[in-house]
Amino acid sequence: MGKIRLLPDDVASQVAAGEVVERPSSLVKELVENSLDAGAARIWVDFTSGGSRFVSVRDDGCGMDRDDALLCLERHATSKIRSAADLSRVRSMGFRGEALPSIASVSRFRLVTREASSEAGTEVIVAGGRVENVQEIGAPAGTQIEVRDLFYNLPARRKFLRGEETEAAHIVHGLHGIVLANPSVAFECRRDGVIVAALPRAESLAVRIRDLFGGGHLAKLLEIDAFEGDGLRLAGFVARPGHGRRDRLQQFVILNGRPVHCPAIQQALREAYLGVLERGEHPVCVLHIEMDLEFVDCNVHPSKREVRLRRPETLQRVIFDSARAALVRPRERLARTPQPARAEPVFVPEPPQGVIPLPEDTSLQRTNGISAPPERFRFVGMVGDGYLVLEGDEGLVLLDIRAASERILFESLMRQIAEGNAPSQRLLIPAVVDIPAREHAWVVDHLEDLRIAGFFIEPFGGTTLKIESLPASAGEKEPERLLHEVAAMLRAAGRLPHGRDVREAVARSVSRLAATEKIPDDEARAGQLVGELLRCELPYASPSGRPTMIQFSFAELDRKFGRAN
Ligand code: ADP
Ligand code: MG
């Protein structure tokens, strides 16, 4: 006798639920997406106990009539596609017709819904996938779904839920992505009865970011210039230098309206921030991307969170260029009030040499075709512990000599390394250094890349290494410290480093070691420093993301002194 049996419907549903409903946050996501598909202008989310005890999602969307309210609980019942051909052009969040039956099969479920045009609403009560009651009920137009006791009938799954805090954090993080994807929809979220987010409809993404995370967060971001072409559109915000995080939780990428996880996009961001953030840090961002559907496959993951791109290079290039373009001119992003008539400086004596001669090519046609403001600075003086004071076209500028020097050294080293001629200098007496076993292994695996960066090292038995030559700009000083720093940086990268990471780690360490904070001897030298800095590709931040220059715009000064009307 054959061994194969068809699974009873309720068992099949529970199995399928495993894919759609991983944890409370996944059901919140499915329900909120349904509300968005229903055209809601407002959505209310409530949950208690990390969502495993109670979740409610209510909306003011199109609602359902009695027949649909029952039909939506059937597997593969959807109003969003009708044929296979629709699959390739589906723009709604859902289309599989799987979420509601799956959720209802593993919880105590209540649906209340009313179409605006009908007088009475419908209530459907389901437990473990079985419809227990259907009745007419008074209800506001729209839909409310309550889910209680998730996995009550699957104790094994319930055991896999984490603590309340963890589950609540997943819910809230998931909602962050959704609300950033939909600024024009109002959201309210309560956790255990307490409002954790109350977001009015926002006119723009900037306003939504501010409402959600506060003005302080918005101030850490640079708006990128909207891009349109090559079958895609890109807009949004990326981190200012220095605003990275050890995790990617604040990297929000919204592709065709959906928050997604896409390694190809993360890679482009990583490259754009090379030499702007500490190693191991990821830039925060909110990116909105629209792409022709033929280039995106969002059907690779049951909850559609992970997407695959058919031609990632185009998007990667656009993201890289846009982020870089924003990074090279962060000062332009300072509040721009109409420029008042230029006031003569009161406290600042006319500098003896006038305008610092900057090289002609400061208008910077950069490698990637981005130009920075053509800018002139008057040298005013040097103050404190290594600051230059300059006057630019738009305001007073303070320059940190050490940060500037690190940036200049870093870029020149990276250039030399890329061109294959990073100068190296032999040590008079080779240094013999013992380093921890794990770091030793990383170094030994990358001797060739280290050599390309001018760092000649040989294994010397055990965990000992012999340093023969150093990158020239490191001078002869502290070969041991340099090696330790490079090795530690490779380890901090937290995975097998690529060759390029190794070379960057060397450039970073050398520039940190060799950077000067010495005040230039005279104005000509100061001018040279400013000129070199402005010729850098990313002049406004040190390789670890510290600012090199801070501007106080004239408009800001006028405001502070109460001159502005
Ligand atoms: P899908 O979203 O893939 O179509 P679901 O199981 O999530 O599948 O939902 C099934 C159907 O129920 C939807 O296609 C839609 O017609 C209806 N529906 C679900 N939620 C709502 C809602 N909040 N408002 C109106 N209709 C809804
Ligand atoms: Mg759905």
Side-chain angles (χ1 to χ4, degrees), residues 30 33-34 37 80 93-100 304:
E30 292 292 340
E33 287 186 352
N34 278 348
D37 284 344
K80 298 166 196 175
M93 297 283 134
F95 54 82
R96 291 160 183 256
E98 243 166 3
L100 293 187
K304 302 168 224 86

